[in-house]
């Protein structure tokens, strides 16, 4: 046994020695080649174009090796020959955005649109009926041809979560004669659900929460609860829902408390949300859902009227409730740290009525605007700051930002970890250390960015509605992925079951 054991190990030893020797020899050879080579030591790349090998170097005087290049070929190996396949692998951060999209607003049809959307004809009590709109008998949707005559959404703080309304209007307008309403061709409403990329649920969930969650008169159940229950019943009975368990459905639930009763039962759908603060991760997460900006409540400052660095006397501005439950304890700590500073404006109270104007004026006169976590990680304050061109200072570790896959917020916002912000002197030292030039760069960027956060009807290229549809379109392939993975076994198994019957 010992002899048999020794032989193979000796043999192995020999092989290893020889390979080591060869390895060392080859490295020495390689090194020498490198030093004495006629070829410069820059990077060379062999490129395969149409089955022909090209040698590419990064040096100016490119060496063309005759044995690699066919004489007749005029192809320049430095530029990709075929654009299609090669360019689609280039890094394309932000390149999917509205600004780059080829749009043909005059003629938007299902082939040109980024997203084909099927919308349920839900009874009007779920949407425009909540605004007090009453159609003629059998009329589900209002006329949208004339933008001055669409049903109005209630003003004030309700507006913050009004994207449900703007998105629905935009879909309705996608079917108007093209001359009537000019809009970007991001989404188009299709009437055949089999041809849709996504199924839109036109429930004004935030308005339903804001306006109808309190019991009235002899009601045992609030209208908001009632509507949610009805909605769940309706949806789960639809073939469109059953097809993929609702995975290709889009539900707008921007107010953190909206859809409170239905969110679990409809949790497979894609949600449009403000943040994930009040959702368990399995119901809502950044892979599946879309974060939409709040509709700002202060007025947008026109770029031309925006005060530059030296015309903004206030260094730091904050207005909001100081005492908040949950994550909001940090507001209190910051208040005590900053309250005695001369150039800091730290004001109490939510903004309402004339307070909105005052807050808008305050932000427009400030260099930096604080965005501190409240009882949810997000708030409309960030978007109020943006439209005031006041550089946002974000102190909210759990915040989710809209369209962050195509927008780099660090270009125009300052992020500070909550744990740093409460250190004495940290915040003000950091902000006072930012030079006029640095600030002005962010301010310029802010002015460009404002358009992404505007809600309006009709929608305009690169406004919030256009951006939301694009964000949904970017999710469609992952929706497909989830659907396809689930159907791996379904097709065959259902077939079997039928045969066994
Ligand atoms: C690559 O092949 C296609 C089809 O054979 C031909 O049309 C094209 O000219 C070729 N390109 C180059 C650079 O040889
Ligand atoms: C809907 O679209 C599917 C797939 O394109 C098609 O097979 C079906 O006939 C269409 N239904 C109607 C009513 O047009």
């Amino acid at each position: 046994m010992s002899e048999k054991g020794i032989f193979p190990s000796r043999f192995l030893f020999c092989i290893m020695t020889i390979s080591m020797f060869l390895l060392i020899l080859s490295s020495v050879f390689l090194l020498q080649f490198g030093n004495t080579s006629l070829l410069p030591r820059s990077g060379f790349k062999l490129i395969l174009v149409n089955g022909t090998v090209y040698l590419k170097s990064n040096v100016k005087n490119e060496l063309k090796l005759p044995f690699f290049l066919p004489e007749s070929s005029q192809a320049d190996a430095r530029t990709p020959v075929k654009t299609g396949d090669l360019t689609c692998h280039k890094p394309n951060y932000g390149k999917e955005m509205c600004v780059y999209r080829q749009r043909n607003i005059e003629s938007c049809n299902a082939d040109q649109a980024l997203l084909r959307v099927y919308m349920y004809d839900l009874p009007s009590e779920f949407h425009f009926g909540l605004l007090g709109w009453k159609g003629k008998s059998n009329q589900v949707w209002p006329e949208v041809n004339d933008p001055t005559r669409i049903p109005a959404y209630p003003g004030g703080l309700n507006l913050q979560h009004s994207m449900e309304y703007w998105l629905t209007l935009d879909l309705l307008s996608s079917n108007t004669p093209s001359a009537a309403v000019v809009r970007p061709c991001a989404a188009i409403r299709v009437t055949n659900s089999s041809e849709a990329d996504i199924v839109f649920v036109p429930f004004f969930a935030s308005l339903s929460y804001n306006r109808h969650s309190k019991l009235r008169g002899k009601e045992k159940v609030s209208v908001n609860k009632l509507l949610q229950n009805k909605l769940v019943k309706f949806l789960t009975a639809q073939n469109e829902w059953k097809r993929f368990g609702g995975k290709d459905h889009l539900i707008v639930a921007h107010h953190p408390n909206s859809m409170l009763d239905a969110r679990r039962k409809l949790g497979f759908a894609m949600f449009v949300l403000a943040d994930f603060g009040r959702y368990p991760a399995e119901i809502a997460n950044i892979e599946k859902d879309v974060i939409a900006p709040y509709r700002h409540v202060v007025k947008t400052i026109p770029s031309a009227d925006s005060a530059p660095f030296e015309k903004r006397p206030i260094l730091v501005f904050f207005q909001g409730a100081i005492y908040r439950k949950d994550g909001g304890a940090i507001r209190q700590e910051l208040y005590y740290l900053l309250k005695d500073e001369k150039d800091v404006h730290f004001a109490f109270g939510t903004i309402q009525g004339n307070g909105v104007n005052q807050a808008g004026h305050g932000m427009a006169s400030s260099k930096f605007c604080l965005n501190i976590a409240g009882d949810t990680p997000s708030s409309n304050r960030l978007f109020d700051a943006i439209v005031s061109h006041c550089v946002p200072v974000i102190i909210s570790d759990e915040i989710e930002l809209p369209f962050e896959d195509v927008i780099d917020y660090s270009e125009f916002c300052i992020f500070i970890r909550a744990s740093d912000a409460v250190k004495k002197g940290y915040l003000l030292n950091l902000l006072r250390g930012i030079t006029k030039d640095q600030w002005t760069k962010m301010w310029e960027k802010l002015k460009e960015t404002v358009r992404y956060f505007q809600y309006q009807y009709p929608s305009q290229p690169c406004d919030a509605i256009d951006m939301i549809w694009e964000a949904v379109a970017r999710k469609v392939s992952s929706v497909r992925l989830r659907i396809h993975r689930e159907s791996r076994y379904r097709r065959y198994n259902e077939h079997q079951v039928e045969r066994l019957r």
Side-chain angles (χ1 to χ4, degrees):
M1 191 203 151
S2 61
E3 267 207 3
K4 273 182 191 166
I6 285 166
F7 176 68
S9 61
R10 258 193 204 158
F11 182 64
L12 267 178
F13 182 70
C14 276
I15 298 245
M16 273 171 61
T17 319
I18 291 169
S19 357
M20 290 280 274
F21 177 68
L22 283 175
L23 186 74
I24 291 165
L25 199 71
S26 58
S27 355
V28 168
F29 183 73
L30 261 181
L31 273 176
Q32 276 189 344
F33 181 76
N35 283 336
T36 59
S37 166
L38 289 171
L39 310 173
R41 297 187 65 197
S42 56
F44 285 91
K45 286 179 189 152
L46 289 176
I47 299 178
L48 197 64
V49 177
N50 260 10
T52 314
V53 179
Y54 294 82
L55 184 68
K56 182 198 166 187
S57 98
N58 297 334
V59 198
K60 266 201 182 140
N61 299 322
E62 191 168 326
L63 276 158
K64 290 201 174 142
L65 300 186
F67 46 91
F68 276 135
L69 269 179
E71 291 278 315
S72 58
S73 171
Q74 295 297 310
D76 184 356
R78 278 166 300 187
T79 54
V81 179
K82 275 191 194 165
T83 42
D85 282 4
L86 290 168
T87 47
C88 74
H89 294 297
K90 273 186 192 164
N92 56 352
Y93 158 73
K95 285 285 193 287
E96 296 152 39
M97 261 172 76
C98 52
V99 246
Y100 297 94
R101 208 169 72 225
Q102 284 281 322
R103 60 186 70 245
N104 190 347
I105 294 182
E106 296 298 302
S107 63
C108 182
N109 61 38
D111 294 330
Q112 291 159 334
L114 204 57
L115 201 62
R116 288 171 297 263
V117 186
Y118 177 78
M119 175 161 70
Y120 290 117
D121 288 320
L122 280 178
S124 62
E125 61 175 335
F126 285 98
H127 42 84
F128 290 96
L130 289 169
L131 305 173
W133 174 79
K134 279 195 187 73
K136 298 183 194 101
S137 59
N138 293 336
Q139 193 183 350
V140 179
W141 301 111
E143 292 290 328
V144 295
N145 283 5
D146 182 356
T148 59
R149 296 181 57 193
I150 51 169
Y153 198 86
L157 294 183
N158 284 302
L159 264 182
Q160 296 181 74
H161 305 289
S162 55
M163 50 296 305
E164 49 197 21
Y165 164 80
W166 306 107
L167 285 166
T168 309
L169 280 176
D170 188 52
L171 281 181
L172 292 173
S173 73
S174 76
N175 297 134
T176 58
S178 58
V181 177
V182 178
R183 58 183 281 280
C185 188
I188 192 160
R189 182 179 172 206
V190 295
T191 47
N192 182 344
S193 61
S194 324
E195 287 165 1
D197 302 306
I198 207 93
V199 179
F200 185 76
V201 180
F203 174 39
F204 292 178
S206 301
L207 191 64
S208 173
Y209 171 76
N210 274 334
R211 282 290 177 88
H212 300 285
S213 47
K214 290 204 184 82
L215 291 178
R216 258 182 247 160
K218 287 181 188 152
E219 287 172 358
K220 290 229 168 63
V221 184
S222 71
V223 171
N224 180 41
K225 250 187 210 292
L226 221 61
L227 284 175
Q228 290 178 61
N229 295 343
K230 266 191 185 174
L231 184 69
V232 171
K233 227 177 186 173
F234 170 86
L235 285 178
T236 49
Q238 303 300 308
N239 285 332
E240 284 81 10
W241 182 275
K242 288 187 208 157
R243 206 165 44 169
F244 308 124
K247 291 191 186 67
D248 60 347
H249 279 50
L250 186 66
I251 297 175
V252 188
H254 199 264
H255 191 294
N257 292 344
S258 62
M259 296 288 278
L260 213 50
D261 299 280
R263 56 176 66 161
R264 266 192 186 277
K265 291 168 199 143
L266 306 177
F268 284 128
M270 187 191 299
F271 290 123
V272 175
L273 300 175
D275 58 52
F276 303 123
R278 296 195 182 153
Y279 280 82
E282 72 274 14
I283 302 291
N285 53 68
I286 197 68
E287 278 75 43
K288 177 173 83 66
D289 305 307
V290 170
I291 298 296
Y294 288 67
R295 158 69 161 81
H296 57 88
V297 295
V298 309
K299 282 206 195 89
T300 305
I301 301 285
S303 276
D305 302 345
S306 182
F309 190 79
E310 59 279 359
K311 297 243 172 80
R312 292 180 181 245
I314 305 167
L315 178 73
V316 185
F317 181 93
F318 176 81
Q319 177 146 357
I322 311 267
Y323 304 99
R324 300 307 289 240
K325 42 189 193 287
D326 302 340
I330 183 165
R331 289 189 179 181
Q332 218 170 313
E333 291 187 48
L334 279 171
Y335 171 68
Y336 287 111
L337 278 176
L338 301 179
K339 69 182 170 58
D340 296 327
E341 299 289 335
K342 267 203 303 281
D343 48 359
V344 173
H345 173 96
F346 218 107
F348 294 92
T350 52
I351 49 174
Q352 254 164 349
N354 194 38
V356 173
N357 288 337
Q358 281 171 9
H361 187 259
M363 287 181 169
S365 320
S366 304
K367 298 185 180 79
F368 299 99
C369 286
L370 292 184
N371 192 79
I372 317 170
D375 43 12
T376 57
S378 70
S379 84
N380 70 304
R381 202 167 289 107
L382 171 63
F383 306 98
D384 286 341
I386 290 175
V387 300
S388 309
H389 311 142
C390 176
V391 172
V393 177
I394 298 176
I395 308 173
S396 179
D397 299 349
E398 305 293 319
I399 198 169
E400 293 293 344
L401 297 163
F403 326 127
E404 205 174 1
D405 51 348
V406 289
I407 296 178
D408 181 357
Y409 282 81
S410 71
E411 290 177 344
F412 54 88
C413 295
I414 291 166
F415 290 86
I416 301 180
R417 286 189 190 83
S419 53
D420 288 332
V422 295
K423 288 178 194 156
K424 202 167 186 306
Y426 187 97
L427 181 68
L428 287 181
N429 277 344
L430 193 146
L431 297 183
R432 291 213 165 101
I434 289 170
T435 64
K436 181 183 163 184
D437 280 356
Q438 289 171 323
W439 184 89
T440 303
K441 254 195 196 136
M442 288 191 272
W443 174 68
E444 295 289 357
K445 195 77 197 172
L446 268 175
K447 290 192 282 183
E448 288 170 24
T449 308
V450 168
R451 62 195 303 208
Y452 306 138
F453 307 111
Q454 301 287 23
Y455 289 96
Q456 57 209 326
Y457 182 78
S459 164
Q460 297 298 312
C462 294
D463 70 2
I465 291 298
D466 199 21
M467 295 288 284
I468 291 174
W469 289 132
E470 284 194 347
V472 172
R474 289 192 295 272
K475 297 265 191 231
V476 165
S477 69
S478 77
V479 168
R480 294 276 150 218
L481 176 75
R482 290 198 298 149
I483 289 171
H484 291 164
R485 287 180 77 92
E486 284 210 345
S487 60
R488 281 177 180 179
Y489 300 102
R490 205 173 55 196
R491 223 177 267 273
Y492 173 75
N493 288 348
E494 277 171 9
H495 197 60
Q496 280 300 88
V497 170
E498 257 167 39
R499 259 203 247 161
L500 290 172
R501 271 190 193 137

